[in-house]
Amino acid sequence: MNIGKDNVYQGLQVHNSVVQPLLTDLYQITMAYAYWKSEKTTDTAVFDLFFRHNPFQGEFTIFGGLEECLRFLENFRYSDSDIEYLKTALPPTIEQSFFTYLKKLTAKDVTLYAIDEGSVVFPRVPLIRVEGPLIVTQLLETTLLTLVNFSSLMATNAARYRMAAGDNVSLLEFGLRRAQGPDGGLSASKYAYIGGFDGTSNLLAGKMFNIPVKGTHAHAYITSFSDPSELKTKTLKNIKNGKEQNLIELTLSWRTKTSKLLNISESQASDGELAALVSFAIAFPEGFIALIDTYDVNKWHYLGPKQLPVISSFGSGILNFCAVALALNDLGYKAIGVRIDSGDLAYLSNKSRETFILVAKEFNIPWFANLTIIASNDINEETIWSLNDQKHSIDCFGIGTHLVTCQRQPALGCVYKLVEVNSLPRIKLSQDGGKITMPGKKDAFRLFGGDGYALVDMLVMSNETPPVAKNKLLCRHPFDQKKRAFVVPSAIKPLYKVYWKDGQITQYLPDLREIREHVKESLRTLRPDIRRNLNPTPYKVSVSDNLYEYMHELWMRNSPIGELS
């Protein structure tokens, strides 16, 4: 069951029916059969799910996907149609009683330990520890990995965008059309929100996950109009007096006034664009946002240093928007702002802000100066840092392709490794030191310094005494005997909780907003030099002295001894 804050059962609803036991690799089933054939049905195992390197050249990762893993465990069972399919997919030599065995399998004997979803996590510290029957825990591997890998990568990517944008700029996820299929789009919307985005254009994600949905309109809407005369609906109710008024006439009047103020000839403005904006304003008078770069976004007209404070303007879009917004103001409505989707975003946003300030001052409409400026146009993390250096005036970024596809690094690389069988440790050795596993059942602790920042994560053997705050602790690098240090932590936080045991969820599962807040809190525990964009300081992951000795003794015991001749 799913435990609520008031211990009320909250049944988990699987939002994607594809997530079921057959969402796995063939070799998981073939291994299960070989285990079964070897009479290993009573063997128990411990697996660690972890990653080896932080993504995006950074030094932190955000853990995502835990709730999806728990949903999977709750619904883990092979249907009749699954069994019938497996009979056709596997060799005919497979004994039929194996399929009877599979049909009875559930995750009720599995215990899952995990770090809280939304936590900052680091390489080699297991995000999830799975204990239970060897065959079942083996069958969970691929599905757990696919549920954690992209979720964590996506949440981390979004958190990095949030840090680049700062706390005062809104971030909207606009990536559904560029995502890797429908589930990629849904997952991207969900984990972008967890990572710090404020909303999504994805309506299904809004419905399913209660994420705020936001959007404007496309260039197609602007170019679908040719002239104001084609508008069938031309009036809008004045909320001050309740009368219908001709919005086109008001807009044209304001365009004449505004063109003089901004030193832009009305001949530069597209009448088709004007018609489109008037039409959109009639449809959404209280939510009017205009895309203003359809025509002449880069056409700025320099009129000399002795002219008005705004010495240039970019033609059609800004003029038509101001005219419609001022007309709406006459009828008692406040426009929201503009979206710029091409051109020099820093320059155009600053000129837009100058225009709004000038109009606000000239016509005594104070709120006009603070209209929202939204920027899109294939923005990535580096774009935002560059725009920050240029001192832009953007209030909101709409981000799509680079966010939802994680173009900078398309995979996190989580792995799922066997570390114990029947209470005996297992270790994977490799000439590549980075691929050597840390054997045995382990617990993880986060050690904090006196300044409140996290100092180091420490892995210890589950059967050893946990570290104690304000005591001197020896922290060792897992594989380099020369790297070690004493630490006296001011506080210690155990990282693992039992999230699944005896066939049910054992912890309260926070909603997306709570996980989103936990991401913020968790990131605040990292020093700024660890979080920074360029050349961040690596965060240290250590092991206890006992675990170090245990691991290296096992390493030596399992390494073959060479022979000279």
Side-chain angles (χ1 to χ4, degrees):
M1 64 174 57
N2 179 13
I3 306 299
K5 284 184 175 178
D6 301 317
N7 294 320
V8 177
Y9 174 76
Q10 300 171 326
L12 288 176
Q13 301 298 316
V14 179
H15 81 264
N16 190 339
S17 60
V18 172
V19 179
Q20 43 102 349
L22 284 195
L23 185 66
T24 190
D25 296 304
L26 174 62
Y27 77 78
Q28 305 291 5
I29 298 291
T30 57
M31 281 194 296
Y33 178 68
Y35 286 144
W36 179 84
K37 188 73 174 169
S38 300
E39 300 183 1
K40 294 176 74 67
T41 56
T42 60
D43 285 15
T44 60
V46 178
F47 284 87
D48 285 345
L49 189 154
F50 61 96
F51 60 94
R52 296 188 176 104
H53 304 284
N54 288 303
F56 311 117
Q57 299 178 335
E59 288 298 336
F60 70 86
T61 301
I62 303 296
F63 175 34
L66 175 60
E67 182 182 353
E68 297 298 323
C69 293
L70 298 172
R71 290 179 177 180
F72 170 58
L73 292 181
E74 191 170 60
N75 293 279
F76 182 87
R77 57 188 56 83
Y78 292 94
S79 68
D80 290 337
S81 63
D82 293 340
I83 298 299
E84 290 307 309
Y85 171 74
L86 286 173
K87 289 178 180 178
T88 66
L90 294 171
T93 54
I94 299 292
E95 296 179 35
Q96 292 302 301
S97 52
F98 171 67
F99 297 111
T100 303
Y101 170 79
L102 278 187
K103 187 68 174 65
K104 296 178 181 178
L105 284 185
T106 68
K108 65 180 179 62
D109 295 322
V110 170
T111 301
L112 184 146
Y113 297 77
I115 299 173
D116 290 338
E117 187 161 10
S119 296
V120 172
V121 289
F122 302 98
R124 293 199 167 275
V125 177
L127 311 179
I128 291 173
R129 187 174 86 222
V130 181
E131 303 176 8
L134 171 61
I135 294 178
V136 180
T137 52
Q138 182 71 70
L139 287 168
L140 299 177
E141 175 180 4
T142 299
T143 315
L144 292 181
L145 285 172
T146 196
L147 291 174
V148 170
N149 261 311
F150 182 69
S151 302
S152 300
L153 186 72
M154 186 66 223
T156 307
N157 202 23
R160 292 180 63 86
Y161 276 91
R162 169 49 67 197
M163 291 193 304
D167 294 333
N168 298 321
V169 175
S170 296
L171 293 174
L172 302 178
E173 178 267 310
F174 285 172
L176 178 58
R177 65 187 62 192
R178 305 286 169 74
Q180 274 90 344
D183 187 61
L186 275 175
S187 295
S189 299
K190 178 179 181 179
Y191 291 101
Y193 185 69
I194 284 175
F197 273 60
D198 300 293
T200 178
S201 63
N202 185 341
L203 282 172
L204 185 57
K207 175 186 176 183
M208 295 177 67
F209 308 128
N210 197 28
I211 300 171
V213 290
K214 305 287 183 181
T216 56
H217 56 78
H219 292 103
Y221 189 82
I222 302 295
T223 58
S224 70
F225 291 83
S226 300
D227 188 87
S229 63
E230 68 188 74
L231 296 185
K232 301 297 189 294
T233 303
K234 302 178 181 180
T235 63
L236 184 64
K237 181 181 289 186
N238 187 324
I239 60 176
K240 299 175 184 177
N241 56 30
K243 295 181 180 180
E244 291 284 334
Q245 290 186 243
N246 190 308
L247 188 61
I248 295 176
E249 291 180 356
L250 274 174
T251 298
L252 289 171
S253 173
W254 273 112
R255 189 166 77 170
T256 299
K257 297 175 188 176
T258 309
S259 68
K260 294 176 181 177
L261 174 67
L262 303 180
N263 294 301
I264 306 173
S265 170
E266 282 193 82
S267 63
Q268 296 171 11
S270 165
D271 288 340
E273 181 181 58
L274 181 76
L277 297 189
V278 169
S279 172
F280 202 73
I282 290 172
F284 301 99
E286 295 179 334
F288 179 57
I289 300 175
L291 183 59
I292 61 170
D293 70 331
T294 307
Y295 304 108
D296 295 332
V297 69
N298 289 317
K299 191 173 181 180
W300 291 77
H301 304 281
Y302 183 74
L303 299 177
K306 295 182 180 179
Q307 299 294 336
L308 294 172
V310 175
I311 58 174
S312 57
S313 184
F314 54 98
S316 184
I318 194 70
L319 177 57
N320 281 331
F321 167 78
C322 288
V324 176
L326 289 166
L328 283 174
N329 180 67
D330 284 347
L331 303 184
Y333 304 96
K334 290 183 179 180
I336 303 299
V338 299
R339 177 162 74 97
I340 305 169
D341 191 51
S342 59
D344 186 330
L345 297 179
Y347 184 65
L348 297 178
S349 69
N350 289 333
K351 289 303 177 182
S352 295
R353 181 65 66 208
E354 289 178 23
T355 300
F356 298 155
I357 291 171
L358 179 63
V359 171
K361 181 178 180 181
E362 179 69 17
F363 301 116
N364 193 27
I365 308 173
W367 60 264
F368 209 97
N370 300 314
L371 285 166
T372 298
I373 299 172
I374 304 170
S376 42
N377 189 29
D378 212 24
I379 291 168
N380 59 29
E381 184 186 338
E382 287 71 26
T383 303
I384 297 177
W385 288 112
S386 176
L387 287 168
N388 291 343
D389 291 339
Q390 297 172 64
K391 310 298 182 185
H392 64 81
S393 297
I394 297 165
D395 302 297
C396 175
F397 289 105
I399 304 173
T401 305
H402 291 275
L403 172 69
V404 304
T405 64
C406 297
Q407 275 195 352
R408 190 177 177 188
Q409 181 176 325
L412 177 57
C414 284
V415 294
Y416 186 84
K417 295 300 181 182
L418 180 68
V419 296
E420 189 174 287
V421 174
N422 296 330
S423 301
L424 298 175
R426 292 293 183 267
I427 187 170
K428 176 186 180 296
L429 299 179
S430 171
Q431 290 184 340
D432 180 353
K435 290 193 172 183
I436 297 173
T437 59
M438 287 187 271
K441 189 187 303 185
K442 300 169 289 295
D443 290 323
F445 297 86
R446 186 155 295 167
L447 281 52
F448 293 84
D451 56 5
Y453 287 123
L455 279 175
V456 61
D457 279 10
M458 187 178 193
L459 292 168
V460 306
M461 298 169 64
S462 292
N463 61 3
E464 69 176 293
T465 303
V468 178
K470 299 181 181 178
N471 284 13
K472 182 185 286 188
L473 304 173
L474 177 59
C475 295
R476 305 196 65 168
H477 187 282
F479 306 111
D480 189 337
Q481 64 177 343
K482 292 179 291 185
K483 293 184 178 180
R484 54 187 181 171
F486 285 112
V487 176
V488 181
S490 63
I492 295 178
K493 178 183 178 181
L495 294 183
Y496 294 142
K497 295 176 183 175
V498 179
Y499 268 93
W500 175 269
K501 187 177 177 64
D502 298 327
Q504 63 182 15
I505 292 169
T506 56
Q507 301 287 339
Y508 165 72
L509 296 183
D511 62 27
L512 292 194
R513 286 175 174 78
E514 292 172 305
I515 298 173
R516 172 186 164 92
E517 286 304 311
H518 181 58
V519 171
K520 295 179 184 177
E521 294 169 4
S522 192
L523 282 169
R524 281 196 286 266
T525 66
L526 298 185
R527 296 195 315 266
D529 59 304
I530 296 172
R531 288 181 283 137
R532 68 190 174 203
N533 179 50
L534 293 175
N535 301 316
T537 302
Y539 182 83
K540 294 177 176 59
V541 172
S542 69
V543 297
S544 66
D545 193 46
N546 286 340
L547 178 54
Y548 178 88
E549 296 295 341
Y550 174 76
M551 180 171 63
H552 283 260
E553 189 276 331
L554 193 65
W555 187 351
M556 291 299 100
R557 191 194 314 164
N558 284 273
S559 295
I561 300 174
E563 183 175 320
L564 299 177
S565 60

